[in-house]
Amino acid sequence: MILGDTSVHSPALYEIFARMWLHDLGRAAGARVTLADVPDGELDRLARLGFDYVYLMGVWTLGAVGPKIARETPGLRAEYERALPDLGPADVIGSPFAVARYAVDPSLGGDEALAALRERLRARGIGLLLDFVPNHLARDHHWITERPELFVREANGQIACGKDPYFPPWTDTAQLDFRVKETRQASIETLLDVASRCDGVRCDMAMLVLSDVFRRTWAHARRAAGTREAEGEFWAEAIDAVRERHPNFVLLAEAYWDLEWRLQTLGFDYTYDKSMYDRLLHGSASAVRGHLSGSFDYQARSARFLENHDEPRIASALPPDRRKAATVLLGTAPGMRFFHEGQLEGRKIRAPVQLARRADERVDEASIAFHRSLFEAMKLDVLRRGRFALLPPHAVGPGSTSFESFVAYRWDSRTSAVIVAVNFGPSRAQCRLALDLAGIAGRNVLLVDRIGGEEYRRSGDELLDDRRGLYVELPAYGAHLFEVKKR
């Protein structure tokens, strides 16, 4: 991949929790490892797997108040001990989303170490994404004393804690006031500073600072005296400012509440696709097909995931067969393919973000082998730049209904094609797929399953025929990922 190549519609992203990653690498090396010291072999591994971007979560300086609150909150302590039975006081370092300073924490090597890592990633064709937390800051951020007018105040005059309107406040944070013009200007300056040090940002809870959402959430609070009222949308102004200096910068929005399309129209390259996540975990094939039937512009800007630092480990949430089927869909649907550190190895314990290390777990070799096969297929150019279309499954004969369990689609280009067919149901099923592929009429084609390894020769004329097409039979949650070799 050429960084900033906008013709790549479906990049692969890998989320890494910086502190836990460095702890594991340091333990393997028998010495402290900073961002500058990450072994070449580890970066080469990420390049071989085919990741276009690394999202390095949790590099910023956290201060003292956030870690103290994280250690003293009773409910959190129980969560830490479930994830890390040998928990010690030094293991609780605080939430990475209560940022005290947008400078790389000295324990990770500081800003120079990050710059060195970025260049080493870039040399391998991998871009670097970092966190930007627009809604709030740590309670000991320097703006608290230097620029108190930038924050929301409660009725008692105290600076409010950051919050999502549907959940209790985050007690380790201070809520910025996005009704205030000065707050927006200061936040844009911060974003521009962050953008100078990476190739993209993952914007935490991006929908919270949409004008109508923010005003509903904080309708009871007044703006600070002497401040100017902001107009329009923060994200439109902020994204324009970033694009002016960094035209190829990537913006990924954590987004919920069906506000994804709105954030896309404001300029985000990608938005979290929680709807797809819910359907892959709990929904039917029909629900998945319905979701993928949206416009290609929306699909191409959706970030598909099965886990991240907020969600349960997918290996603990789904049985192996359904997990594999869901992962094939994640890795081949349009949009950003978002994977989480430990997902490939089949980790089952979600480590709270307030911790500096995680428990040891047995590596699932079968999971690693499956992901390697899938990632090799994901490198196919047609799966990144081709034309996408759903393939409606058809019954194989009168009275047959199992075809409804299939999710199928194709990617097509002038010289190649890929057919994805997944039985997203709990029983063996059959269907027929009419393949509307250019360049196969009058020819024999070779179907190579990039997951199972099988090869099949078929008549192109038969595959195009609505009455015959491609016959597919799969066990429960089975999948084919066919590379179609037209010549």
Side-chain angles (χ1 to χ4, degrees):
M1 183 197 72
I2 300 172
L3 294 181
D5 182 358
T6 55
S7 65
V8 179
H9 295 293
S10 300
L13 176 142
Y14 191 51
E15 179 186 5
I16 296 173
F17 190 178
R19 287 169 170 81
M20 293 186 183
W21 186 46
L22 295 184
H23 176 272
D24 290 348
L25 293 173
R27 189 171 60 170
R32 176 174 174 260
V33 172
T34 71
L35 294 173
D37 307 321
V38 174
D40 284 333
E42 175 69 358
L43 302 184
D44 292 341
R45 181 181 71 90
L46 299 177
R48 285 195 304 272
L49 288 169
F51 289 111
D52 302 294
Y53 294 98
V54 164
Y55 162 35
L56 195 59
M57 189 267 282
V59 302
W60 305 125
T61 301
L62 303 183
V65 173
K68 183 175 184 295
I69 292 172
R71 293 186 191 106
E72 295 176 354
T73 303
L76 289 177
R77 174 110 192 152
E79 185 180 352
Y80 305 152
E81 291 175 343
R82 281 194 296 271
L84 190 63
D86 61 339
L87 180 76
D91 294 323
V92 183
I93 56 170
S95 169
F97 303 106
V99 178
R101 191 159 57 97
Y102 278 98
V104 177
D105 194 280
S107 68
L108 307 182
D111 290 338
E112 291 183 0
L114 178 71
L117 177 63
R118 181 189 181 191
E119 288 307 310
R120 295 170 66 205
L121 288 168
R122 180 181 289 269
R124 293 165 170 82
I126 300 174
L128 174 66
L129 268 65
L130 300 176
D131 293 305
F132 176 62
V133 186
N135 186 63
H136 49 262
L137 293 166
R139 297 202 70 81
D140 48 358
H141 190 279
H142 61 94
W143 286 354
I144 298 284
T145 55
E146 295 172 7
R147 306 195 65 182
E149 73 280 3
L150 303 185
F151 296 89
V152 173
R153 299 265 175 184
E154 297 286 11
N156 61 7
Q158 297 296 311
I159 290 177
C161 295
K163 73 173 182 178
D164 170 331
Y166 301 105
F167 293 96
W170 299 298
T171 57
D172 55 352
T173 67
Q175 176 67 55
L176 288 163
D177 194 341
F178 276 82
R179 300 166 302 180
V180 171
K181 189 175 184 64
E182 291 84 353
T183 301
R184 294 190 181 188
Q185 291 173 337
S187 297
I188 290 171
E189 290 170 7
T190 299
L191 176 56
L192 289 171
D193 178 56
V194 171
S196 69
R197 290 179 271 172
C198 58
D199 304 294
V201 287
R202 179 262 192 193
C203 297
D204 185 69
M205 299 294 280
M207 72 288 179
L208 291 182
V209 299
L210 290 171
S211 292
D212 57 335
V213 173
F214 194 91
R215 292 179 190 281
R216 285 197 305 271
T217 304
W218 298 104
H220 63 281
R222 295 183 179 179
R223 287 188 293 115
T227 58
R228 294 172 292 167
E229 184 171 3
E231 298 178 356
E233 289 289 352
F234 166 75
W235 286 123
E237 185 179 357
I239 291 172
D240 284 351
V242 171
R243 294 270 187 250
E244 185 175 353
R245 294 193 193 179
H246 309 283
N248 296 320
F249 198 73
V250 174
L251 291 118
L252 166 64
E254 181 188 21
Y256 306 103
W257 313 336
D258 296 325
L259 292 170
E260 296 86 352
W261 174 244
R262 185 170 162 198
L263 288 163
Q264 290 179 15
T265 63
L266 286 169
F268 275 97
D269 297 289
Y270 304 99
T271 57
Y272 271 38
D273 190 357
K274 183 65 160 53
S275 295
M276 181 72 160
Y277 169 84
D278 289 337
R279 286 163 172 77
L280 291 175
L281 259 71
H282 311 296
S284 64
S286 175
V288 175
R289 289 197 305 269
H291 187 65
L292 291 176
S293 67
S295 72
F296 184 76
D297 284 347
Y298 174 79
Q299 303 293 338
R301 292 179 181 271
S302 295
R304 323 288 189 178
F305 59 89
L306 285 173
E307 64 175 65
N308 55 52
H309 60 263
D310 288 320
E311 305 293 352
R313 288 289 192 181
I314 195 62
S316 71
L318 290 181
D321 55 355
R322 181 163 178 145
R323 174 164 43 110
K324 287 177 66 175
T327 305
V328 171
L329 295 171
L330 158 67
T332 59
M336 175 176 276
R337 289 93 184 238
F338 184 146
F339 290 85
H340 185 212
E341 184 187 16
Q343 184 174 344
L344 283 63
E345 295 80 9
R347 282 184 172 268
K348 294 184 176 181
I349 301 172
R350 188 190 76 84
V353 296
Q354 295 89 348
L355 299 184
R357 66 182 180 96
R358 56 191 160 207
D360 291 331
E361 291 187 66
R362 183 182 63 82
V363 171
D364 183 341
E365 296 293 346
S367 178
I368 289 178
F370 160 72
H371 280 91
R372 283 177 178 162
S373 296
L374 176 61
F375 287 173
E376 281 301 309
M378 285 166 55
K379 295 176 185 177
L380 293 170
D381 190 71
V382 67
L383 269 175
R384 300 157 66 80
R385 294 180 174 87
R387 298 179 296 271
F388 169 84
L390 284 172
L391 296 173
H394 299 291
V396 298
S400 175
T401 60
S402 67
F403 72 95
E404 295 175 350
S405 294
F406 278 87
V407 178
Y409 44 83
R410 56 91 167 148
W411 289 86
D412 188 24
S413 71
R414 184 179 178 185
T415 58
S416 61
V418 165
I419 303 299
V420 177
V422 177
N423 173 12
F424 206 63
S427 304
R428 178 171 286 273
Q430 306 83 29
C431 76
R432 290 192 181 276
L433 302 171
L435 306 185
D436 56 341
L437 298 176
I440 66 171
R443 302 170 175 86
N444 287 325
V445 299
L446 182 65
L447 307 178
V448 180
D449 192 334
R450 296 297 297 265
I451 295 176
E454 300 88 357
E455 295 186 0
Y456 306 91
R457 292 190 180 276
R458 293 290 185 270
S459 159
D461 291 336
E462 182 177 315
L463 295 178
L464 289 167
D465 191 325
D466 287 342
R467 295 168 299 173
R468 291 181 290 177
L470 176 66
Y471 173 80
V472 179
E473 181 171 357
L474 285 167
Y477 300 110
H480 286 310
L481 200 171
F482 287 128
E483 182 182 2
V484 182
K485 299 194 175 181
K486 299 181 181 180
R487 298 190 181 91

